Amino acid sequence: MTQTRRTALVLGAGGLVGGAWELGVLQGLAEAGADLSTADLVVGSSAGAVVAARLAAGKDTLAGLYERELDGTAPAEPAARLGAGNILRYALALLTSRTPEAYGRRLGRLALGTDTVDEARRRAVIARRLDPVTDWPERPLLVTAVDALTGELAALDKDSGAPLADAVTASCAIPGLWPPATLLGRRYIDGGLHSTANAHLAAGYARVVIIAPSTVGSKVIHAPARQGADLAATGARVEVVTPDKASKAAFGRNPLDPSRRAPAARAGRAQAAAHAPAVTALWAE
């Protein structure tokens, strides 16, 4: 396959903590000479969608976004947790599904049948995370979400007709914890359910960096490493960055605990040094 487009950055799902880690990795790589904010395409799923939107908008520097995770100016949020019962439901849904769409439909039913916070309140939380970003950037940005009824993946962009905050709210709508988001007359749930990275959306780009807080994968849900290998098989140059031992320790046990954002961001920045030579070489081609 002939690659006609240049660079793509893929930011995966991983909760508030994973998003902070992504910013740490990005900052560390930029300090080493690989500024991935220049990507021709940015793809974001779940927490990665928040990071992707803020990065693509360019209203703050990468260093500023990173510092926001450390200095306490990020919007204050209470810790949330996906309970053991819902975790079991996720596992059963995965075991009884043969495709990502079937898995999405099962979790869509869970989401639609769970009484959670008001949808408008949840959107307001995401809007605060995005602040001061309110509109789609001109740069290519894809935000993923899963249709709660069909289980199909949607890759939303500025031409989709969905406001940016609504699209990102949908991408972050964890079934059983947050309400499905209403977009264009349909209900959507977390984009990280189709896969934790959705790196296949970068097909056709010559150079792709995947930063994925979650390495989860199965026969149904393709792991970031597998998606990276699939892209490489088409002729793309690909680097996949996933948490090392120190980063996993910094995450703690709950990816939705805001108190772990700063430790995760610092760990990501430190880990970037190990990936910098390969990523810098790829980005400079």
Side-chain angles (χ1 to χ4, degrees):
M1 173 180 177
T2 300
Q3 303 292 336
T4 58
R5 290 171 288 185
R6 297 185 296 165
T7 57
L9 171 63
V10 178
L11 298 169
L16 280 169
V17 180
W21 174 80
E22 289 174 335
L23 280 169
V25 171
L26 288 166
Q27 176 63 13
L29 290 173
E31 291 169 347
D35 182 359
L36 304 190
S37 67
T38 63
D40 297 312
L41 169 72
V42 185
V43 179
S45 296
S46 198
V50 178
V51 178
R54 293 163 69 193
L55 193 69
K59 291 195 174 184
D60 200 351
T61 64
L62 180 52
L65 293 174
Y66 171 72
E67 288 298 328
R68 195 178 182 195
E69 299 297 319
L70 306 181
D71 63 11
T73 60
E77 297 180 28
R81 183 180 294 274
L82 192 64
N86 280 329
I87 292 174
L88 178 59
R89 293 182 181 94
Y90 276 54
L92 290 174
L94 189 60
L95 288 171
T96 55
S97 300
R98 293 187 177 182
T99 66
E101 291 75 22
Y103 181 55
R105 287 193 295 272
R106 286 179 168 85
L107 291 186
R109 288 195 290 272
L110 168 64
L112 292 167
T114 302
D115 185 20
T116 63
V117 301
D118 179 75
E119 186 177 339
R121 286 182 59 192
R122 179 59 182 164
R123 184 193 184 280
V125 169
I126 299 301
R128 286 196 297 271
R129 284 190 204 166
L130 292 173
D131 184 63
V133 179
T134 57
D135 299 316
W136 288 94
E138 287 303 312
R139 294 176 52 198
L141 167 67
L142 295 179
V143 171
T144 68
V146 170
D147 189 302
L149 292 180
T150 69
E152 295 176 342
L153 180 70
L156 303 161
D157 63 11
K158 61 183 175 63
D159 297 321
S160 65
L164 177 62
D166 294 53
V168 177
T169 300
S171 194
C172 296
I174 302 172
L177 183 62
W178 307 124
T182 303
L183 292 178
L184 309 175
R186 302 193 67 83
R187 307 295 297 283
Y188 288 90
I189 56 176
D190 198 304
L193 298 174
H194 190 271
S195 74
T196 60
N198 292 305
H200 63 289
L201 295 174
Y205 284 79
R207 292 169 281 152
V208 182
V209 176
I210 303 168
I211 302 178
S214 173
T215 60
V216 170
S218 67
K219 291 182 180 180
V220 177
I221 305 300
H222 292 178
R226 175 171 174 178
Q227 292 191 321
D230 290 343
L231 290 172
T234 70
R237 286 284 309 280
V238 182
E239 291 291 337
V240 181
V241 181
T242 56
D244 61 11
K245 185 176 181 180
S247 289
K248 290 177 181 177
F251 284 11
R253 295 184 177 182
N254 181 10
L256 303 176
D257 182 357
S259 72
R260 305 307 302 173
R261 290 169 77 163
R266 292 189 182 98
R269 183 183 180 190
Q271 182 182 341
H275 302 276
V279 174
T280 300
L282 179 152
W283 216 246
E285 289 181 359

